[in-house]
Amino acid sequence: MEGGSDKVVETVIAGSYVEMETDGKPTTYKTRLSKFLWDGGSVYDAWFSCASNQVAQVLLTLPYSFSQLGMLSGICFQLFYGLLGSWTAYLISVLYVEYRTRKEREKVDFRNHVIQWFEVLDGLLGKHWRNVGLAFNCTFLLFGSVIQLIACASNIYYINDNLDKRTWTYIFGACCATTVFVPSFKNYRIWSFLGLIMTTYTSWYLTIASLLHGQVQDVKHSGPTKMVLYFTGATNILYTFGGHAVTVEIMHAMWKPQKFKAIYLMATLYVLTLTLPSAISVYWAFGDLLLNHSNAFALLPKSPLRDMAVVLMLIHQFITFGFACTPLYFVWEKAIGMHECKSLCKRAAARLPVVIPIWFLAIIFPFFGPINSTVGSLLVSFTVYIIPSLAHILVFRSAAARENAVEPPPKFLGRWAGVYSINVFVVVWVFIVGFGFGGWASVINFVHQIDTFGLFTKCYQCPPPGGPLPPSPPPMAHHFLNSSFAAPPSHHHGVHLHRQ
């Protein structure tokens, strides 16, 4: 019986969208090239999308989190939240397959429609869950896009400080608006692949450069010192591994979405090979200096290799901005009745109003680092951890639903009882530690940034003119950090803060 059921599911949900969309059209060199570069729907494309999208600018703020948490807690929280994030991504994938299978058995056609998380909740649990999911998801993706824009301005400043960070935000806001021309997640194949190369390079640059730099004079590793800082740092890591608000859209772009299952876990394991070495090394080298420098680039001396890392992260932030914004474009298109329009230019024009509030919010709250924790505690905790766990419990609460489940839990998880227990633990832990303590700490820290720097601050955490140079690296690191063709370190890259 079970084998027969699996066969039915395979037939129902294993359609190849690319074949359906190009049916009857001749295959030319141009379409073959287009398929190779853009039309991604394999498990590998999904893996690249998950791994590339999971860590972007947050790679630069994790050393800052380590300075708040201390080394041991920083490592433990990364491993713990990486596992928790993979678990809830698995739950979302199970619920997506359940929803889609039910709908396709009713002969619903999704060829010109991208399924989103709020629609899964609507189909499985009703309109109240849809509204809650829509509110949290859209707000999280909105601020996720804001964070990418802030990160662009923060990073480019370390290459060119002739303009302040607010001016760079204006410029990059206009540049990021070009993502309105990317139709869907199927078209991110080459970008996801390149994006992962960029984060990999940056991570290992931070790791090697910090180790060669060595520890600064009288380095201190005093964290954790305050509960507020401790839970702010923990919530930033919660945010790091909660980047799967776009999981449903990534799955929908796959030719066989039921193969998603363990992809997010595999992506997380790779991401940990980037986040742990870089955060540990930078914190080891600079210690408590990171408490006042949420961007790790701020403490490393200027060099061509650092500039390359900055440029690669800037390009990656465009990609991640597109990842975070594309689901918002879909929601907006559906709201105004443009989602199934065949004209890309008309859809792009209709999407532009979505970018304006993102641009505006990035200028109001340019607090690179603290804003991650605030978004993590107030939005990610519900969007990514609590709502999927509760939804899974409620969808399969009846014996009939469990009996007819498209994807029942595997034996090694303890079947339904095991999954139920894990879900309850996730809900309780994230609500108390992530939302409760994390929300309290993050909001206090966020308000402190407003009191210190003010809203619409011109240049957040910029050093004063004529500030001291960064600590000089030992001789053995000279070639790697400041090679012979490097420009001398700018006097603007000091280690003190300045309100502008």
Side-chain angles (χ1 to χ4, degrees):
M1 180 71 183
E2 193 171 329
S5 171
D6 288 346
K7 196 173 180 181
V8 172
V9 173
E10 180 77 11
T11 341
V12 171
I13 67 175
S16 173
Y17 309 131
V18 172
E19 283 174 14
M20 288 193 287
E21 287 170 0
T22 60
D23 190 32
K25 295 179 184 176
T27 303
T28 63
Y29 172 75
K30 188 178 178 181
T31 54
R32 284 200 301 270
L33 182 66
S34 173
K35 279 185 181 181
F36 178 73
L37 294 175
W38 312 112
D39 299 331
S42 68
V43 289
Y44 302 104
D45 291 307
W47 184 84
F48 279 116
S49 292
C50 289
S52 172
N53 184 49
Q54 193 173 133
V55 168
Q57 49 74 36
V58 80
L59 192 66
L60 308 174
T61 65
L62 284 172
Y64 166 66
S65 296
F66 269 50
S67 69
Q68 297 170 318
L69 287 165
M71 189 77 82
L72 181 61
S73 289
I75 294 169
C76 291
F77 270 118
Q78 276 205 38
L79 296 172
F80 177 65
Y81 282 133
L83 196 60
L84 231 58
S86 301
W87 171 254
T88 52
Y90 164 73
L91 296 181
I92 291 171
S93 73
V94 168
L95 294 170
Y96 168 85
V97 170
E98 185 74 28
Y99 167 77
R100 181 156 178 192
T101 306
R102 291 183 189 182
K103 286 295 180 186
E104 291 194 347
R105 282 173 182 163
E106 296 169 10
K107 309 298 181 190
V108 178
D109 187 349
F110 290 112
R111 273 182 292 186
N112 294 318
H113 183 94
V114 176
I115 298 173
Q116 295 188 268
W117 176 229
F118 72 91
E119 293 168 314
V120 174
L121 292 172
D122 187 18
L124 297 176
L125 292 169
K127 65 177 183 179
H128 297 302
W129 277 85
R130 176 200 66 197
N131 295 340
V132 170
L134 186 60
F136 273 107
N137 219 39
C138 287
T139 313
F140 166 44
L141 289 168
L142 180 78
F143 278 98
S145 305
V146 168
I147 287 168
Q148 299 311 318
L149 205 47
I150 294 168
C152 284
S154 179
N155 288 345
I156 191 66
Y157 182 80
Y158 296 112
I159 289 182
N160 184 337
D161 53 13
N162 293 324
L163 299 177
D164 58 75
K165 292 181 183 179
R166 189 169 67 194
T167 305
W168 280 120
T169 306
Y170 292 134
I171 294 167
F172 279 103
C175 295
C176 287
T178 57
T179 57
V180 297
F181 290 100
V182 181
S184 75
F185 283 96
K186 288 181 206 171
N187 309 104
Y188 275 101
R189 165 174 277 185
I190 189 69
W191 296 117
S192 296
F193 175 73
L194 292 174
L196 195 58
I197 291 174
M198 293 167 191
T199 51
T200 302
Y201 171 86
T202 304
S203 166
W204 287 107
Y205 161 74
L206 291 172
T207 304
I208 297 168
S210 299
L211 292 174
L212 290 178
H213 184 286
Q215 293 184 310
V216 295
Q217 191 174 5
D218 301 323
V219 65
K220 290 180 182 175
H221 300 91
S222 52
T225 54
K226 297 178 183 175
M227 277 186 70
V228 169
L229 293 179
Y230 187 83
F231 285 106
T232 302
T235 313
N236 187 39
I237 296 177
L238 178 87
Y239 169 83
T240 304
F241 294 97
H244 44 284
V246 293
T247 301
V248 170
E249 288 84 356
I250 291 171
M251 284 187 73
H252 190 82
M254 292 177 70
W255 297 318
K256 294 187 178 180
Q258 73 273 30
K259 291 190 173 181
F260 184 85
K261 294 176 192 171
I263 285 175
Y264 200 89
L265 176 61
M266 297 299 107
T268 299
L269 292 176
Y270 180 78
V271 164
L272 285 168
T273 69
L274 307 181
T275 57
L276 282 171
S278 57
I280 290 168
S281 304
V282 177
Y283 179 52
W284 170 82
F286 298 102
D288 289 355
L289 285 178
L290 285 158
L291 287 168
N292 292 323
H293 294 84
S294 48
N295 190 329
F297 284 143
L299 291 169
L300 287 163
K302 186 174 174 63
S303 74
L305 291 170
R306 192 193 74 164
D307 288 353
M308 187 186 296
V310 172
V311 169
L312 290 178
M313 288 307 287
L314 282 171
I315 299 169
H316 189 274
Q317 263 127 26
F318 278 108
I319 300 166
T320 313
F321 182 92
F323 261 92
C325 230
T326 300
L328 290 176
Y329 297 151
F330 293 156
V331 173
W332 178 246
E333 286 171 0
K334 290 170 186 176
I336 62 173
M338 290 286 289
H339 185 56
E340 297 188 6
C341 174
K342 296 288 177 71
S343 168
L344 179 59
C345 290
K346 285 181 183 175
R347 286 177 69 191
R351 289 171 169 190
L352 278 173
V354 176
V355 181
I356 295 166
I358 294 169
W359 205 354
F360 189 61
L361 287 166
I363 293 161
I364 299 176
F365 305 115
F367 310 128
F368 186 74
I371 194 171
N372 294 21
S373 304
T374 310
V375 170
S377 60
L378 303 182
L379 298 172
V380 176
S381 55
F382 283 95
T383 304
V384 172
Y385 297 94
I386 294 173
I387 291 175
S389 302
L390 281 177
H392 192 274
I393 290 170
L394 294 175
V395 168
F396 299 107
R397 66 188 179 278
S398 70
R402 292 194 294 273
E403 182 70 27
N404 298 315
V406 177
E407 292 204 1
K411 205 175 203 174
F412 71 87
L413 288 174
R415 295 293 186 190
W416 292 106
V419 168
Y420 181 85
S421 305
I422 297 169
N423 286 343
V424 170
F425 170 77
V426 171
V427 170
V428 172
W429 175 275
V430 175
F431 186 78
I432 294 173
V433 177
F435 175 70
F437 286 106
W440 162 76
S442 300
V443 169
I444 287 177
N445 189 34
F446 195 78
V447 170
H448 174 68
Q449 305 305 313
I450 295 173
D451 290 343
T452 307
F453 297 96
L455 299 175
F456 297 99
T457 183
K458 194 174 180 182
C459 208
Y460 176 66
Q461 285 192 339
C462 294
L469 292 171
S472 298
M476 70 170 185
H478 182 77
H479 180 73
F480 185 80
L481 296 172
N482 289 316
S483 49
S484 57
F485 53 91
S490 163
H491 69 272
H492 292 292
H493 299 300
V495 295
H496 294 291
L497 304 183
H498 180 55
R499 176 175 178 163
Q500 292 196 37

